[in-house]
Amino acid sequence: MCCNLYSVAYLVRLTLGRERVSCDLDAAAVPILVQEGLKSTGCAIVFLLLYFFGMASSLWWVILTLTWFLAAGLKWGHEAIEMHSSYFHIAAWAIPAVKTIVILIMRLVDADDLTGLCYVGNQQQEALTGFVVAPLATYLLIGTLFICAGLVALFKIRSNLQKDGAKTDKLERLMVKIGVFSVLYTVPASTVIGCYLYQLSHWGEFRASPRDSYVGIGDASDLHVTACRHHIRHVDLVGKNPPHLAALLRPPAQG
């Protein structure tokens, strides 16, 4: 359910369009890239769907692996695990909610100049590290440890059953299913974290390349999108009084 709701954010972005989600108007009515998502309803909705349900899905993964470990490693029964379901729900929903509220209070929601999506850490390296990379890496590590511990316990159970001459076909099928599901989750999750780490390690290049690509361009297919995408990059260069869009898009002098 969390992953499905997470994907709704992309449908919202597709339906509303780039400008209504990631762009805002400055005092001169020039479209600029959103820096505070609360100023745009579309931006806030996209952020809430992406961040809250994305983090909740990662936490549900941890809880799933925890329950596997409790059942396989600690021999908990279904009833014992079910008794703690309320705590699982509190952890899975409260932790992302608290982080989401903190981000909103700190006004760290910003837009991505490439995809037009609103998230946290698109323009601030510290926010991306603290609110995205660190939690995702922590959740993945904890879940993987629970998976490994649970599989080790299942292998021991399988070995004991084989010594007693009992059939282990059902147990082996269960182990295969858990292993396949774990790989299908951990590989994409690790890839996402790896992409974020690559972006952090090349942060200066990521921030500079869009700016350098558009300075001096005389023919832009969409002035609103171009202004929205690159206004903030030029603010960083020239200070509080950025040049007008026409100056940014003025063709280079001939001769």
Side-chain angles (χ1 to χ4, degrees), residues 35-82:
Q35 286 184 301
E36 295 182 5
L38 292 178
K39 293 183 178 180
S40 170
T41 303
C43 183
I45 292 174
V46 169
F47 162 73
L48 290 173
L49 290 170
L50 286 177
Y51 190 81
F52 178 78
F53 290 106
M55 290 295 166
S57 66
S58 298
L59 276 166
W60 276 117
W61 151 256
V62 175
I63 292 170
L64 176 62
T65 58
L66 171 61
T67 55
W68 280 347
F69 171 71
L70 293 176
L74 302 183
K75 306 298 189 298
W76 281 37
H78 174 74
E79 294 79 8
I81 295 177
E82 184 68 24

Side-chain angles (χ1 to χ4, degrees), residues 111-193:
D112 183 8
D113 52 356
L114 177 63
T115 63
L117 293 168
C118 284
Y119 201 56
V120 55
N122 290 316
Q123 302 169 29
Q124 299 186 42
Q125 188 174 10
E126 296 78 9
L128 181 62
T129 303
F131 288 101
V132 180
V133 178
L136 290 180
T138 301
Y139 300 152
L140 180 62
L141 176 62
I142 294 174
T144 303
L145 292 177
F146 281 137
I147 282 289
C148 294
L151 288 176
V152 169
L154 288 177
F155 274 111
K156 291 181 179 179
I157 295 173
R158 174 176 171 270
S159 178
N160 294 332
L161 290 175
Q162 288 178 338
K163 289 179 180 179
D164 296 336
K167 293 183 178 181
T168 59
D169 295 344
K170 292 183 178 180
L171 180 60
E172 290 175 354
R173 285 196 294 268
L174 174 62
M175 294 169 63
V176 170
K177 290 179 181 178
I178 294 176
V180 170
F181 182 84
S182 302
V183 170
L184 291 176
Y185 180 88
T186 55
V187 171
S190 301
T191 303
V192 170
I193 295 173

